[in-house]
């Protein structure tokens, strides 16, 4: 989009200014998901939800650490939600992608100079996308809480869109991966039930409407929530663990007006969240063995770091829920663990990511003595020389270059190591060396939560 006049990143300029023009919408804002130039709706919305959750739980800690941090994250959230509002032009229509991902990946050029056609993909009643529509509803509902006291009119707009999108997602059920098969190559959704719960949970926190609480509990908890099942790993594609922790909040901080049925369902969420915490802790009888030798939680080789970051973020939140509610311990089998044990796990993941690992490599670009210098990122790898324009194919000379990127993508969190803790810092290695918005969003929450131990607000509905 049109970047602000005080944009601090010298090598970034306006781009994608005509996005959405073909459908009569202004889709110029938003964020490219990673080192390419596609606006993928599902991970973009998840990025906004993670950032909003971070602000709601830890906004005070962000301010204490850096006076500008809070305004920066609010700007980032709004840059996405402005886009999402425009991507929802009518009740049952949502634009879910801008750009042809296959064609984009055949180009290596700066976003500021791209000239390729950027088609729009959408979901609607005939081509449903409950997963992406519900995640977008979650992003808007959580952001409405962030902006409630800052910009009440904007907050109300977000809630209106969130409720419409949830109704659309729930009434016209189906996965966007089935409706738009082309998305399967890049952000394939494995299901939509978790997204519906996630959206309803955030809508309950944002509105306190009993209908949303009933939706996640007595109406759909048994069928959608995977209570008591093996832990799943929180990511853009699977919200189950996030839902379990978010709804545990209600049980920890309580409401005496809940019916026994609702309360019983919410206790199932908290029990399942506890099992997830047990899987995180290395000394737990039910600890997952999916870790590198260096200690990073490791679930899949592509963008492996996201699971360690997000799991640590959930652990520090759950730890603070326990501390704030006066809950001293929880059981994993016959062993007891404390909130501090969860924080130590979260610290271990953060420390690994920031350089305490067998490679002595900080996976956060721009941080530490050693970090990736050939990051798989088009804009970072091509000189920002306004006198020379590198077209779609011209830029591959920079893709193939063995020199460090001329521009540092500071704050980008790359995909991270293989399970043997190895990492190859070369530009073509997109599996390990590509940063994503949702990786960094999870890290914002994790690091903010680790700044200090203090009580959280007992209600997000302020």
């Amino acid at each position: 989009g049109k970047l602000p006049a005080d944009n601090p990143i010298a090598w970034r300029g306006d781009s994608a200014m005509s996005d959405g023009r073909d459908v009569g919408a202004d889709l110029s804002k938003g964020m490219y998901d990673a080192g390419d130039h596609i606006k993928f709706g599902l991970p973009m919305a998840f990025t906004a939800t993670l950032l909003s959750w971070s602000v709601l739980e830890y906004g005070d800690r962000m301010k204490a650490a850096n006076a500008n941090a809070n305004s920066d994250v609010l700007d980032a959230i709004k840059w996405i939600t402005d886009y999402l509002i425009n991507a929802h032009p009518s009740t049952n229509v949502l634009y879910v992608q801008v750009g042809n991902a296959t064609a984009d990946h055949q180009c290596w050029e700066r976003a500021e100079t791209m000239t390729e056609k950027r088609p729009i993909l959408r979901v609607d009643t005939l081509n449903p996308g409950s997963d992406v529509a519900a995640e977008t509803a979650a992003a808007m509902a959580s952001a409405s809480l962030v902006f409630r006291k800052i910009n009440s009119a904007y907050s109300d707009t977000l809630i209106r869109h969130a409720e419409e999108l949830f109704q659309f997602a729930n009434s016209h059920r189906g996965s966007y991966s089935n409706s738009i098969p082309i998305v399967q190559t890049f952000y394939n959704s494995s299901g939509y039930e978790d997204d519906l719960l996630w959206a309803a949970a955030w809508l309950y926190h944002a509105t306190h409407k009993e209908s949303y609480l009933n939706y996640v509990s007595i109406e759909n908890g048994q069928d959608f929530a995977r209570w008591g099942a093996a832990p799943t790993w929180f990511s853009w594609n699977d919200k189950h663990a996030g839902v379990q922790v978010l709804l545990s909040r209600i049980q920890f901080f309580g409401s005496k007006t809940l019916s026994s049925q609702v309360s019983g369902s919410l206790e199932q969420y908290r029990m399942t969240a506890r099992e997830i915490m047990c899987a995180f802790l290395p000394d737990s009888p039910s600890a997952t063995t999916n870790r590198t030798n260096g200690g990073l939680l490791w679930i899949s080789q592509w963008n492996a770091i996201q699971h360690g970051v997000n799991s640590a973020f959930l652990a520090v939140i759950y730890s603070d829920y326990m501390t704030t509610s006066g809950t001293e311990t929880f059981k994993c089998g016959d062993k007891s663990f404390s909130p501090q044990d969860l924080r130590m796990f979260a610290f271990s993941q953060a420390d690994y990511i920031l350089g305490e690992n067998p490679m002595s490599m900080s996976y956060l670009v721009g941080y530490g003595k050693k970090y990736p210098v050939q990051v798989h990122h088009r804009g970072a790898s091509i000189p920002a020389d306004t006198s020379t324009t590198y077209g779609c194919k011209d830029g591959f000379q920079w893709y193939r270059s063995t020199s460090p990127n001329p521009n540092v993508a500071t704050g980008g969190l790359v995909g991270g190591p293989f399970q043997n803790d190895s990492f190859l810092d070369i530009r073509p290695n997109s599996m390990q060396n590509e940063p994503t918005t949702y990786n960094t969003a999870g890290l914002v929450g994790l690091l903010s939560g680790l700044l200090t131990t203090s009580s959280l607000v007992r209600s997000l509905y302020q």
Side-chain angles (χ1 to χ4, degrees):
K2 177 71 177 175
L3 300 191
D6 60 350
N7 165 38
I9 306 172
W11 51 276
R12 294 272 67 167
D14 302 343
S15 68
M17 293 296 291
S18 61
D19 277 5
R21 201 169 288 173
D22 292 351
V23 294
D26 179 6
L27 301 179
S28 60
K29 283 188 174 181
M31 294 187 181
Y32 310 124
D33 70 307
D36 52 19
H37 302 143
I38 302 299
K39 297 173 186 175
F40 293 101
L42 184 56
M44 190 196 306
F46 182 61
T47 296
T49 311
L50 281 182
L51 288 174
S52 292
W53 198 2
S54 302
V55 171
L56 292 168
E57 302 287 13
Y58 301 123
D60 57 335
R61 303 184 193 184
M62 294 181 189
K63 288 180 183 178
N66 183 331
N68 295 323
N70 201 255
S71 62
D72 287 344
V73 74
L74 295 183
D75 289 346
I77 293 167
K78 192 171 183 295
W79 201 264
I80 296 176
T81 52
D82 283 353
Y83 167 90
L84 295 177
I85 289 170
N86 290 349
H88 181 224
S90 60
T91 304
N92 295 329
V93 173
L94 178 66
Y95 300 124
V96 300
Q97 183 175 311
V98 181
N100 181 322
T102 301
D104 178 88
H105 284 66
Q106 294 171 357
C107 291
W108 196 266
E109 60 188 335
R110 300 180 71 239
E112 292 83 352
T113 60
M114 63 183 175
T115 58
E116 293 73 32
K117 291 183 178 180
R118 294 175 61 76
I120 311 295
L121 300 182
R122 63 181 259 178
V123 294
D124 50 38
T125 55
L126 296 178
N127 303 283
S130 299
D131 29 31
V132 65
E135 178 57 67
T136 305
M140 291 181 164
S142 56
S144 77
L145 286 163
V146 169
F147 289 105
R148 175 158 290 159
K149 291 183 178 180
I150 304 167
N151 186 338
S152 61
Y154 189 69
S155 175
D156 291 344
T157 297
L158 288 169
I159 276 293
R160 176 174 60 80
H161 281 278
E163 293 200 282
E164 286 183 359
L165 280 166
F166 177 76
Q167 183 61 37
F168 165 50
N170 189 48
S171 299
H172 302 277
R173 293 185 182 179
S175 171
Y176 92 133
S177 291
N178 294 331
S179 297
I180 314 172
I182 195 172
V183 304
Q184 295 174 17
T185 304
F186 298 95
Y187 286 97
N188 183 41
S189 172
S190 59
Y192 57 78
E193 295 85 354
D194 56 320
D195 299 285
L196 289 171
L197 293 176
W198 180 237
W202 277 113
L203 280 163
Y204 173 72
H205 281 295
T207 67
H208 272 204
K209 290 182 180 178
E210 191 173 328
S211 60
Y212 294 120
L213 192 58
N214 289 338
Y215 185 93
V216 300
S217 57
I218 55 181
E219 293 176 11
N220 296 290
Q222 188 68 47
D223 293 334
F224 290 178
R226 293 178 51 87
W227 292 332
T232 58
W233 310 106
F234 189 40
S235 72
W236 60 265
N237 182 42
D238 193 331
K239 317 298 162 41
H240 282 105
V243 172
Q244 315 291 359
V245 172
L246 181 60
L247 289 175
S248 295
R249 197 181 214 290
I250 303 170
Q251 280 297 85
F252 273 117
F253 303 139
S255 173
K256 295 180 180 178
T257 61
L258 297 179
S259 70
S260 59
Q261 275 187 302
V262 171
S263 183
S265 295
L266 292 177
E267 183 58 26
Q268 289 291 324
Y269 280 106
R270 183 161 71 165
M271 289 172 61
T272 306
R274 190 164 59 232
E275 289 305 310
I276 294 168
M277 298 303 125
C278 290
F280 294 161
L281 296 173
D283 294 331
S284 161
S286 53
T288 181
T289 57
N290 294 319
R291 303 173 201 268
T292 70
N293 289 335
L296 180 71
L297 198 71
W298 196 95
I299 307 302
S300 62
Q301 65 178 0
W302 198 282
N303 191 22
I305 218 162
Q306 65 175 316
H307 297 108
V309 171
N310 291 341
S311 297
F313 179 44
L314 294 183
V316 77
I317 289 176
Y318 197 86
S319 166
D320 284 338
Y321 288 173
M322 291 182 66
T323 299
T324 303
S325 65
T327 306
E328 295 182 356
T329 62
F330 65 100
K331 286 273 193 180
C332 298
D334 59 354
K335 296 186 70 172
S336 293
F337 294 92
S338 68
Q340 185 60 24
D341 292 315
L342 289 173
R343 288 185 70 82
M344 292 306 296
F345 163 73
F347 270 116
S348 75
Q349 301 303 288
D351 289 343
Y352 185 106
I353 290 163
L354 298 178
E356 291 187 17
N357 55 64
M359 295 290 292
S360 297
M361 171 74 76
S362 166
Y363 293 109
L364 180 62
V365 180
Y367 177 84
K369 295 180 179 179
K370 178 184 176 185
Y371 53 82
V373 296
Q374 289 193 39
V375 177
H376 182 94
H377 187 283
R378 287 157 177 77
S381 70
I382 301 174
D385 183 350
T386 55
S387 66
T388 304
T389 298
Y390 300 99
C392 169
K393 301 299 183 183
D394 299 334
F396 275 102
Q397 62 180 293
W398 304 107
Y399 174 83
R400 293 186 292 268
S401 170
T402 57
S403 299
N405 287 349
N407 310 307
V408 180
T410 303
L413 183 60
V414 300
F418 288 128
Q419 193 164 16
N420 65 1
D421 293 298
S422 66
F423 177 81
L424 190 59
D425 181 17
I426 57 172
R427 201 168 292 107
N429 183 14
S430 56
M431 181 181 290
Q432 292 187 297
N433 212 13
E434 185 170 16
T436 69
T437 59
Y438 44 93
N439 283 4
T440 295
L443 189 63
V444 167
L446 170 59
L447 297 181
S448 300
L450 290 176
L451 283 172
T452 182
T453 302
S454 61
S455 294
L456 303 178
V457 293
R458 289 178 172 265
S459 173
L460 297 178
Y461 185 83
Q462 299 294 317

